Amino acid sequence: MNVSSKKEFAEIEIDRIIEMAWEDRTPFDAIKFQFGLREADVKALMKKELKFSSYKLWRKRVENCNTKHSAKRVEGIDRFKCKLQRAITNNKISKR
């Protein structure tokens, strides 16, 4: 699936995808698991939704971030969420 295949996301879902993409500790695998978007699809969505200067800043940040790509992560980190975080339901993080 890619963004051009016209999978429609609600505005709140797009906001959440953008938020997850900006977070350093959220890998692209988590976005794929939750929304079905590959890394290339996330990049296309970010390019479409952000101002060009913001997109460039984000791309530079992602390229230098070892935690965004599961293969580059420190060994032993194989989860999408903090151990203290209970569950993610409907894109809302449960409070402790």
XYZ file of all heavy atoms in Angstrom:
804
model
N 0.847 -1.181 0.000
C 0.000 0.000 0.000
C 0.884 1.233 0.000
O 1.895 1.273 0.667
C -0.863 -0.010 1.256
C -1.760 1.190 1.351
S -2.611 1.234 2.925
C -1.612 2.471 3.720
N 0.517 2.236 -0.743
C 1.221 3.499 -0.639
C 0.215 4.629 -0.596
O -0.971 4.436 -0.813
C 2.243 3.681 -1.769
C 1.600 3.810 -3.130
O 0.546 4.404 -3.278
N 2.249 3.256 -4.131
N 0.700 5.818 -0.300
C -0.189 6.965 -0.115
C -0.977 7.257 -1.382
O -2.131 7.628 -1.336
C 0.620 8.200 0.331
C -0.260 9.425 0.393
C 1.238 7.948 1.692
N -0.363 7.007 -2.535
C -1.048 7.303 -3.790
C -2.169 6.314 -4.093
O -2.949 6.523 -5.006
C -0.047 7.334 -4.946
O 0.535 6.064 -5.107
N -2.265 5.215 -3.337
C -3.344 4.260 -3.560
C -4.663 4.743 -2.962
O -5.636 4.028 -2.942
C -2.979 2.888 -2.993
O -3.001 2.931 -1.594
N -4.669 5.973 -2.471
C -5.870 6.671 -2.005
C -6.490 6.060 -0.757
O -7.679 6.137 -0.566
C -6.927 6.759 -3.128
C -6.453 7.492 -4.351
C -6.162 8.929 -4.049
C -5.724 9.637 -5.326
N -5.128 10.904 -5.109
N -5.670 5.439 0.093
C -6.193 5.040 1.409
C -6.439 6.325 2.167
O -5.553 7.130 2.374
C -5.177 4.171 2.144
C -5.481 3.994 3.610
C -5.872 2.602 3.921
C -5.877 2.344 5.400
N -6.997 2.516 6.150
N -7.657 6.527 2.537
C -8.035 7.768 3.217
C -7.885 7.610 4.714
O -8.365 6.646 5.299
C -9.486 8.124 2.872
C -9.716 8.455 1.414
C -8.988 9.705 0.957
O -8.884 10.664 1.762
O -8.507 9.727 -0.176
N -7.209 8.554 5.307
C -7.076 8.611 6.754
C -7.850 9.814 7.258
O -7.889 10.856 6.611
C -5.602 8.756 7.167
C -4.780 7.530 6.919
C -3.886 7.484 5.857
C -4.877 6.428 7.746
C -3.124 6.360 5.630
C -4.116 5.300 7.526
C -3.242 5.262 6.462
N -8.441 9.657 8.420
C -9.106 10.785 9.057
C -8.038 11.783 9.492
O -6.871 11.435 9.654
C -9.905 10.300 10.261
N -8.442 13.011 9.688
C -7.499 14.060 10.073
C -6.770 13.695 11.372
O -5.565 13.925 11.496
C -8.239 15.384 10.239
C -7.321 16.562 10.426
C -8.072 17.884 10.426
O -9.120 17.997 9.764
O -7.583 18.808 11.109
N -7.486 13.107 12.305
C -6.871 12.720 13.577
C -5.829 11.626 13.372
O -4.796 11.601 14.053
C -7.950 12.308 14.619
C -7.344 12.246 16.007
C -8.614 11.014 14.246
C -8.364 12.207 17.121
N -6.063 10.720 12.420
C -5.093 9.666 12.122
C -3.845 10.256 11.465
O -2.719 9.859 11.794
C -5.706 8.612 11.205
C -6.780 7.783 11.864
C -7.469 6.848 10.899
O -7.810 7.273 9.774
O -7.651 5.675 11.280
N -4.035 11.197 10.553
C -2.894 11.862 9.912
C -2.068 12.593 10.956
O -0.836 12.511 10.959
C -3.360 12.818 8.801
C -3.944 12.011 7.635
C -2.212 13.703 8.314
C -4.604 12.848 6.564
N -2.738 13.279 11.880
C -2.028 13.972 12.958
C -1.215 12.985 13.795
O -0.084 13.268 14.176
C -3.004 14.732 13.857
C -3.609 15.953 13.191
O -3.081 16.399 12.156
O -4.614 16.461 13.726
N -1.782 11.840 14.074
C -1.083 10.831 14.882
C 0.106 10.248 14.130
O 1.174 10.032 14.709
C -2.050 9.720 15.305
C -1.407 8.652 16.157
C -0.913 9.192 17.493
N -0.262 8.127 18.235
C 0.835 8.268 18.944
N 1.404 9.448 19.088
N 1.376 7.241 19.565
N -0.050 10.001 12.839
C 1.059 9.491 12.029
C 2.207 10.496 12.017
O 3.369 10.139 12.207
C 0.601 9.166 10.592
C -0.381 7.992 10.603
C 1.803 8.846 9.698
C -1.119 7.783 9.298
N 1.881 11.777 11.835
C 2.899 12.826 11.830
C 3.582 12.898 13.193
O 4.814 12.998 13.287
C 2.295 14.184 11.427
C 1.889 14.147 9.950
C 3.269 15.323 11.694
C 1.082 15.341 9.490
N 2.795 12.813 14.246
C 3.349 12.847 15.603
C 4.304 11.677 15.819
O 5.406 11.844 16.349
C 2.212 12.800 16.625
C 2.659 12.866 18.056
C 1.496 12.783 19.034
O 0.345 12.602 18.604
O 1.760 12.886 20.242
N 3.894 10.488 15.409
C 4.739 9.310 15.559
C 6.006 9.427 14.716
O 7.085 8.998 15.139
C 3.962 8.048 15.175
C 2.870 7.676 16.152
S 1.864 6.291 15.585
C 2.935 4.910 15.967
N 5.881 9.998 13.533
C 7.042 10.161 12.657
C 8.061 11.126 13.255
O 9.268 10.946 13.091
C 6.592 10.638 11.282
N 7.595 12.156 13.950
C 8.495 13.130 14.573
C 9.166 12.573 15.826
O 10.242 13.016 16.216
C 7.759 14.413 14.936
C 7.763 15.424 13.832
C 6.720 15.737 13.018
C 8.847 16.266 13.417
N 7.095 16.719 12.129
C 8.396 17.063 12.353
C 10.171 16.416 13.852
C 9.206 17.993 11.714
C 10.969 17.349 13.218
C 10.482 18.118 12.154
N 8.527 11.626 16.496
C 9.083 11.068 17.726
C 10.326 10.239 17.409
O 10.288 9.349 16.570
C 8.054 10.174 18.426
C 6.874 10.921 18.968
C 5.752 10.010 19.438
O 5.771 8.795 19.132
O 4.838 10.520 20.096
N 11.422 10.516 18.102
C 12.672 9.812 17.834
C 12.601 8.328 18.185
O 13.195 7.505 17.518
C 13.825 10.448 18.615
C 14.213 11.809 18.065
O 13.920 12.073 16.883
O 14.796 12.600 18.814
N 11.890 7.999 19.231
C 11.878 6.609 19.701
C 10.824 5.739 19.042
O 10.762 4.542 19.303
C 11.691 6.569 21.212
C 12.902 7.097 21.909
C 12.793 6.907 23.382
N 14.083 7.222 23.959
C 14.573 6.642 25.025
N 13.867 5.737 25.648
N 15.739 6.974 25.490
N 9.987 6.302 18.208
C 8.956 5.506 17.537
C 9.489 5.047 16.186
O 9.691 5.851 15.290
C 7.674 6.335 17.321
O 7.233 6.834 18.579
C 6.585 5.486 16.701
N 9.749 3.742 16.027
C 10.287 3.253 14.750
C 9.214 3.220 13.669
O 8.014 3.219 13.950
C 10.765 1.845 15.090
C 9.906 1.422 16.225
C 9.604 2.673 17.012
N 9.675 3.189 12.436
C 8.737 3.100 11.312
C 7.919 1.818 11.379
O 6.789 1.770 10.904
C 9.491 3.175 9.978
C 9.997 4.558 9.666
C 11.346 4.842 9.686
C 9.109 5.575 9.356
C 11.811 6.111 9.397
C 9.564 6.851 9.071
C 10.921 7.119 9.087
N 8.476 0.773 11.992
C 7.736 -0.481 12.143
C 6.464 -0.298 12.968
O 5.450 -0.950 12.714
C 8.611 -1.545 12.802
C 9.752 -2.009 11.903
O 9.671 -1.772 10.679
O 10.712 -2.597 12.422
N 6.503 0.587 13.959
C 5.322 0.850 14.784
C 4.237 1.531 13.953
O 3.052 1.228 14.101
C 5.687 1.710 15.987
N 4.644 2.436 13.076
C 3.674 3.117 12.211
C 3.080 2.113 11.229
O 1.881 2.114 10.975
C 4.337 4.302 11.479
C 4.827 5.337 12.495
C 3.362 4.940 10.491
C 5.681 6.444 11.910
N 3.922 1.231 10.703
C 3.426 0.203 9.780
C 2.460 -0.736 10.496
O 1.407 -1.081 9.959
C 4.584 -0.591 9.192
C 4.139 -1.602 8.169
C 5.303 -2.303 7.519
C 4.773 -3.263 6.465
N 5.841 -3.942 5.767
N 2.794 -1.120 11.716
C 1.942 -2.015 12.498
C 0.585 -1.385 12.771
O -0.450 -2.031 12.656
C 2.648 -2.361 13.815
C 1.838 -3.229 14.731
C 1.733 -4.588 14.508
C 1.179 -2.678 15.818
C 0.993 -5.392 15.363
C 0.434 -3.481 16.673
C 0.342 -4.829 16.443
N 0.583 -0.096 13.107
C -0.653 0.557 13.516
C -1.480 1.068 12.333
O -2.703 1.013 12.360
C -0.333 1.715 14.453
C -1.511 2.166 15.259
C -1.074 3.032 16.437
O 0.089 3.343 16.609
N -2.024 3.409 17.243
N -0.811 1.562 11.282
C -1.541 2.202 10.185
C -1.333 1.545 8.825
O -1.974 1.925 7.850
C -1.148 3.686 10.080
C -1.549 4.483 11.280
C -0.628 4.775 12.280
C -2.848 4.937 11.434
C -0.995 5.517 13.393
C -3.225 5.666 12.540
C -2.293 5.954 13.526
N -0.406 0.600 8.733
C -0.163 -0.086 7.469
C 0.665 0.709 6.478
O 0.656 0.398 5.287
N 1.388 1.718 6.937
C 2.206 2.541 6.051
C 3.675 2.153 6.166
O 4.219 2.109 7.260
C 2.070 4.030 6.402
C 0.713 4.673 6.195
C 0.742 6.109 6.703
C 0.333 4.644 4.731
N 4.289 1.881 5.017
C 5.726 1.606 5.002
C 6.490 2.914 5.181
O 5.908 3.989 5.137
C 6.123 0.969 3.671
C 5.475 -0.385 3.426
C 5.758 -0.899 2.037
N 5.126 0.034 1.086
C 5.686 0.466 -0.037
N 6.872 0.066 -0.390
N 5.046 1.294 -0.824
N 7.794 2.817 5.358
C 8.631 4.004 5.545
C 8.483 4.973 4.372
O 8.342 6.184 4.565
C 10.094 3.590 5.705
C 11.025 4.752 5.922
C 12.467 4.332 6.115
O 12.751 3.142 6.352
O 13.330 5.227 6.042
N 8.483 4.450 3.156
C 8.338 5.306 1.971
C 6.980 6.011 1.960
O 6.876 7.173 1.544
C 8.512 4.482 0.702
N 5.947 5.313 2.429
C 4.611 5.910 2.490
C 4.564 7.037 3.525
O 3.933 8.067 3.300
C 3.563 4.852 2.852
C 3.503 3.722 1.840
O 3.802 3.968 0.662
O 3.163 2.596 2.243
N 5.247 6.825 4.648
C 5.298 7.853 5.687
C 6.026 9.086 5.150
O 5.575 10.220 5.342
C 5.975 7.327 6.971
C 6.176 8.443 7.982
C 5.162 6.196 7.578
N 7.127 8.857 4.443
C 7.875 9.974 3.852
C 7.003 10.752 2.871
O 6.997 11.982 2.872
C 9.133 9.469 3.158
C 10.183 8.991 4.125
C 11.376 8.417 3.389
C 12.400 7.859 4.356
N 13.517 7.207 3.666
N 6.245 10.041 2.047
C 5.358 10.704 1.080
C 4.263 11.494 1.795
O 3.943 12.629 1.403
C 4.744 9.671 0.134
N 3.704 10.915 2.842
C 2.663 11.596 3.607
C 3.219 12.855 4.275
O 2.593 13.909 4.253
C 2.079 10.662 4.672
C 0.957 11.289 5.482
C -0.354 10.590 5.177
C 1.245 11.219 6.951
N 4.407 12.738 4.848
C 5.041 13.886 5.498
C 5.326 14.993 4.483
O 5.100 16.170 4.760
C 6.339 13.461 6.200
C 6.139 12.500 7.350
S 5.309 13.225 8.760
C 6.667 14.028 9.577
N 5.786 14.612 3.318
C 6.082 15.602 2.276
C 4.816 16.318 1.836
O 4.817 17.524 1.590
C 6.753 14.918 1.078
C 7.316 15.885 0.071
C 8.144 15.154 -0.966
C 8.858 16.145 -1.852
N 9.750 15.484 -2.801
N 3.722 15.568 1.778
C 2.438 16.141 1.353
C 1.844 17.051 2.424
O 1.291 18.108 2.112
C 1.469 14.991 1.047
C 0.094 15.432 0.637
C -0.794 14.221 0.406
C -2.235 14.629 0.496
N -3.108 13.567 0.896
N 1.973 16.662 3.696
C 1.277 17.353 4.773
C 2.066 18.499 5.416
O 1.474 19.398 5.976
C 0.884 16.352 5.870
C -0.123 15.313 5.426
C -1.496 15.891 5.135
O -1.892 16.884 5.778
O -2.169 15.334 4.249
N 3.403 18.438 5.364
C 4.219 19.452 6.015
C 4.659 20.534 5.033
O 4.680 20.306 3.826
C 5.483 18.817 6.616
C 5.299 17.765 7.692
C 6.658 17.225 8.118
C 4.560 18.317 8.892
N 5.046 21.678 5.593
C 5.699 22.686 4.766
C 7.024 22.077 4.304
O 7.597 21.235 4.998
C 5.983 23.965 5.559
C 4.752 24.705 6.008
C 5.112 26.025 6.652
C 5.994 25.801 7.861
N 6.279 27.024 8.620
N 7.526 22.532 3.156
C 8.733 21.942 2.603
C 9.914 22.087 3.553
O 10.691 21.145 3.743
C 9.069 22.541 1.233
C 10.232 21.868 0.577
C 10.126 20.566 0.109
C 11.442 22.522 0.450
C 11.203 19.924 -0.480
C 12.529 21.892 -0.142
C 12.410 20.588 -0.604
N 10.053 23.240 4.207
C 11.168 23.441 5.141
C 11.054 22.495 6.336
O 12.068 21.949 6.805
C 11.231 24.895 5.610
O 10.029 25.264 6.263
N 9.846 22.258 6.818
C 9.638 21.318 7.932
C 9.948 19.896 7.496
O 10.537 19.115 8.249
C 8.203 21.395 8.437
O 7.927 22.664 8.955
N 9.553 19.573 6.266
C 9.838 18.243 5.725
C 11.351 18.019 5.638
O 11.852 16.960 6.019
C 9.191 18.072 4.351
C 9.583 16.795 3.664
C 9.067 15.574 4.084
C 10.489 16.794 2.606
C 9.438 14.387 3.472
C 10.863 15.621 1.989
C 10.340 14.417 2.422
O 10.712 13.248 1.817
N 12.089 19.005 5.172
C 13.544 18.887 5.066
C 14.180 18.685 6.444
O 15.078 17.854 6.593
C 14.147 20.124 4.392
C 13.997 20.109 2.895
C 14.565 21.296 2.150
C 15.611 22.097 2.813
N 16.078 23.251 2.041
N 13.715 19.431 7.437
C 14.221 19.264 8.805
C 13.937 17.855 9.322
O 14.792 17.221 9.949
C 13.589 20.292 9.740
C 14.079 21.720 9.629
C 13.204 22.641 10.484
C 15.533 21.819 10.064
N 12.727 17.380 9.063
C 12.346 16.042 9.518
C 13.204 14.984 8.849
O 13.691 14.062 9.508
C 10.861 15.795 9.241
C 10.449 14.399 9.563
C 10.241 13.871 10.806
C 10.222 13.328 8.644
N 9.881 12.540 10.703
C 9.859 12.188 9.388
C 10.275 13.230 7.249
C 9.569 10.965 8.802
C 9.982 12.013 6.659
C 9.631 10.901 7.434
N 13.416 15.095 7.533
C 14.228 14.107 6.804
C 15.656 14.070 7.340
O 16.233 13.007 7.537
C 14.250 14.425 5.300
C 12.954 14.130 4.603
C 12.710 12.654 4.421
N 13.659 12.147 3.466
C 14.324 10.995 3.600
N 14.100 10.224 4.621
N 15.187 10.599 2.705
N 16.217 15.252 7.597
C 17.569 15.314 8.138
C 17.623 14.647 9.503
O 18.550 13.892 9.819
C 18.020 16.770 8.233
C 19.436 16.940 8.669
C 19.842 18.402 8.653
C 21.286 18.556 9.088
N 21.702 19.960 9.085
N 16.604 14.896 10.304
C 16.537 14.316 11.645
C 16.408 12.794 11.581
O 17.066 12.069 12.321
C 15.343 14.919 12.374
C 15.181 14.479 13.792
C 13.992 15.199 14.400
N 13.707 14.695 15.705
C 13.390 15.463 16.726
N 13.312 16.761 16.586
N 13.124 14.935 17.894
N 15.563 12.291 10.694
C 15.334 10.847 10.568
C 16.591 10.137 10.075
O 16.922 9.053 10.551
C 14.143 10.562 9.624
C 14.072 9.103 9.227
C 12.840 10.971 10.294
N 17.305 10.745 9.145
C 18.511 10.112 8.614
C 19.566 9.925 9.696
O 20.333 8.965 9.663
C 19.087 10.950 7.475
C 18.266 10.863 6.210
C 18.763 11.808 5.127
O 19.844 12.409 5.286
O 18.056 11.955 4.121
N 19.620 10.840 10.657
C 20.627 10.778 11.706
C 20.142 10.084 12.978
O 20.874 10.022 13.950
C 21.108 12.188 12.053
C 21.807 12.839 10.891
O 22.534 12.181 10.157
N 21.583 14.119 10.704
N 18.940 9.576 12.963
C 18.344 8.990 14.162
C 18.425 7.461 14.099
O 17.799 6.836 13.256
C 16.887 9.439 14.283
S 16.120 8.897 15.797
N 19.169 6.877 15.012
C 19.340 5.422 15.022
C 18.124 4.682 15.562
O 17.985 3.493 15.341
C 20.564 5.036 15.844
C 21.843 5.435 15.157
O 21.889 5.549 13.935
N 22.880 5.657 15.921
N 17.255 5.367 16.271
C 16.114 4.670 16.873
C 14.906 4.590 15.948
O 13.955 3.877 16.248
C 15.694 5.357 18.185
O 15.410 6.725 17.928
C 16.777 5.244 19.231
N 14.895 5.318 14.825
C 13.757 5.287 13.906
C 13.732 4.013 13.072
O 12.698 3.616 12.565
C 13.777 6.483 12.941
C 13.346 7.792 13.541
C 11.984 7.723 14.167
C 10.855 7.984 13.239
N 9.581 8.034 13.956
N 14.877 3.387 12.901
C 14.973 2.178 12.099
C 15.307 1.012 13.013
O 16.320 1.031 13.706
C 16.053 2.336 11.027
C 15.782 3.467 10.099
N 16.221 4.745 10.351
C 15.088 3.529 8.941
C 15.830 5.533 9.380
N 15.134 4.832 8.519
N 14.470 0.012 13.009
C 14.655 -1.123 13.918
C 16.012 -1.798 13.734
O 16.610 -2.249 14.702
C 13.540 -2.144 13.704
O 12.304 -1.578 14.048
N 16.505 -1.842 12.506
C 17.782 -2.494 12.250
C 18.949 -1.730 12.877
O 19.978 -2.323 13.204
C 18.005 -2.630 10.751
N 18.795 -0.431 13.069
C 19.865 0.389 13.643
C 19.763 0.526 15.159
O 20.654 1.076 15.787
C 19.821 1.802 13.044
C 20.169 1.874 11.591
C 20.154 3.333 11.153
C 20.462 3.512 9.703
N 20.415 4.933 9.326
N 18.697 0.025 15.739
C 18.487 0.179 17.181
C 19.486 -0.636 17.974
O 20.009 -1.644 17.504
C 17.075 -0.265 17.562
C 16.027 0.693 17.079
C 14.693 0.282 17.580
N 14.207 1.404 18.386
C 13.079 1.425 19.019
N 12.292 0.373 19.004
N 12.699 2.480 19.697
N 19.707 -0.207 19.202
C 20.582 -0.928 20.112
C 19.986 -2.309 20.351
O 18.768 -2.461 20.503
C 20.699 -0.156 21.448
C 21.534 -0.919 22.454
C 21.247 1.226 21.215
N 20.827 -3.306 20.401
C 20.346 -4.663 20.612
C 19.616 -4.765 21.948
O 20.016 -4.150 22.934
C 21.527 -5.632 20.604
C 21.176 -6.966 20.008
C 22.405 -7.803 19.775
O 23.257 -7.374 18.988
O 22.483 -8.869 20.394
N 18.541 -5.498 21.969
C 17.777 -5.654 23.202
C 16.513 -4.810 23.232
O 15.628 -5.049 24.023
N 16.414 -3.820 22.363
C 15.186 -3.025 22.276
C 14.380 -3.590 21.119
O 14.686 -3.370 19.956
C 15.475 -1.529 22.042
C 16.281 -0.955 23.192
C 14.163 -0.759 21.862
C 16.662 0.496 23.021
N 13.374 -4.363 21.446
C 12.579 -5.011 20.411
C 11.095 -4.730 20.577
O 10.253 -5.455 20.103
C 12.831 -6.515 20.422
C 12.518 -7.138 21.771
O 12.237 -6.400 22.721
O 12.563 -8.387 21.856
N 10.776 -3.645 21.247
C 9.381 -3.315 21.498
C 9.075 -1.944 20.922
O 9.963 -1.161 20.640
C 9.081 -3.343 22.990
C 9.903 -2.329 23.769
C 9.775 -2.508 25.260
N 10.431 -1.437 25.954
C 11.732 -1.336 26.168
N 12.527 -2.271 25.711
N 12.234 -0.315 26.802
N 7.791 -1.636 20.780
C 7.351 -0.353 20.254
C 7.046 0.641 21.363
O 6.915 1.805 21.116
C 6.076 -0.511 19.438
C 6.265 -1.280 18.167
C 5.200 -1.966 17.622
C 7.460 -1.312 17.503
C 5.334 -2.664 16.439
C 7.608 -2.008 16.322
C 6.539 -2.692 15.798
N 6.869 0.143 22.563
C 6.408 1.039 23.615
C 7.198 0.796 24.894
O 7.826 -0.234 25.064
C 4.920 0.843 23.874
C 4.523 -0.546 24.330
C 3.026 -0.674 24.441
C 2.632 -2.063 24.872
N 2.705 -2.285 26.282
N 7.113 1.735 25.774
C 7.778 1.655 27.073
C 7.158 0.529 27.895
O 5.969 0.244 27.790
C 7.618 2.996 27.787
S 8.214 2.997 29.474
N 7.943 -0.122 28.735
C 7.420 -1.190 29.583
C 6.334 -0.683 30.529
O 5.448 -1.419 30.923
C 8.547 -1.800 30.410
C 9.535 -2.594 29.612
C 10.637 -3.114 30.508
C 11.691 -3.825 29.692
N 12.816 -4.274 30.505
N 6.403 0.595 30.915
C 5.426 1.163 31.835
C 4.109 1.521 31.155
O 3.098 1.703 31.810
C 5.999 2.412 32.509
C 7.254 2.195 33.346
C 7.771 3.527 33.858
C 6.975 1.257 34.496
N 4.134 1.646 29.849
C 2.933 2.001 29.099
C 2.064 0.754 28.966
O 2.540 -0.284 28.534
C 3.342 2.517 27.729
C 2.209 2.943 26.857
C 2.737 3.434 25.517
O 3.829 3.963 25.450
N 1.968 3.240 24.489
N 0.823 0.862 29.330
C -0.024 -0.332 29.341
C -0.421 -0.764 27.940
O 0.045 -1.754 27.434
C -1.262 -0.085 30.179
C -0.913 -0.011 31.642
C -2.129 0.003 32.488
N -1.698 0.084 33.875
C -2.463 0.408 34.857
N -3.723 0.676 34.639
N -1.996 0.469 36.068
N -1.276 -0.028 27.306
C -1.754 -0.452 25.989
C -2.082 0.766 25.152
O -2.399 1.826 25.676
C -2.990 -1.330 26.149
N -2.001 0.576 23.864
C -2.407 1.631 22.939
C -3.737 1.188 22.338
O -3.830 0.142 21.713
C -1.368 1.839 21.833
C -0.053 2.292 22.436
C -1.866 2.840 20.810
C 1.079 2.430 21.446
N -4.780 1.984 22.553
C -6.079 1.661 22.017
C -6.627 2.879 21.315
O -6.650 3.978 21.869
C -7.059 1.243 23.131
O -7.106 2.270 24.118
C -6.624 -0.052 23.795
N -7.013 2.709 20.096
C -7.546 3.808 19.280
C -6.621 5.020 19.301
O -7.050 6.161 19.410
C -8.946 4.216 19.754
C -9.921 3.091 19.591
O -9.785 2.265 18.687
N -10.917 3.027 20.439
N -5.321 4.764 19.222
C -4.293 5.792 19.175
C -4.215 6.627 20.443
O -3.628 7.681 20.443
C -4.494 6.726 17.979
C -4.431 5.975 16.689
O -3.728 4.978 16.605
N -5.141 6.433 15.700
N -4.826 6.170 21.519
C -4.753 6.891 22.788
C -3.948 6.035 23.753
O -4.191 4.858 23.900
C -6.148 7.132 23.355
C -6.959 8.073 22.498
C -8.317 8.276 23.087
C -9.137 9.166 22.164
N -10.520 9.232 22.540
N -2.991 6.646 24.374
C -2.155 5.925 25.317
C -2.850 5.896 26.669
O -3.232 6.937 27.196
C -0.768 6.575 25.428
C -0.072 6.561 24.072
C 0.075 5.876 26.474
C 1.208 7.340 24.039
N -3.012 4.697 27.204
C -3.664 4.563 28.504
C -2.814 5.197 29.586
O -1.597 5.064 29.596
C -3.880 3.086 28.826
O -4.684 2.498 27.859
N -3.453 5.857 30.497
C -2.761 6.502 31.611
C -2.529 5.479 32.716
O -3.285 4.542 32.877
C -3.588 7.664 32.173
C -3.976 8.683 31.127
C -2.865 9.646 30.903
C -3.356 10.717 29.955
N -2.392 11.398 29.266
N -1.501 5.714 33.510
C -1.250 4.822 34.648
C -2.170 5.175 35.773
O -2.585 6.233 35.992
C 0.170 4.969 35.160
C 1.174 4.392 34.249
C 2.464 4.201 34.972
N 3.334 5.328 34.661
C 4.427 5.595 35.316
N 4.774 4.851 36.332
N 5.196 6.574 34.998
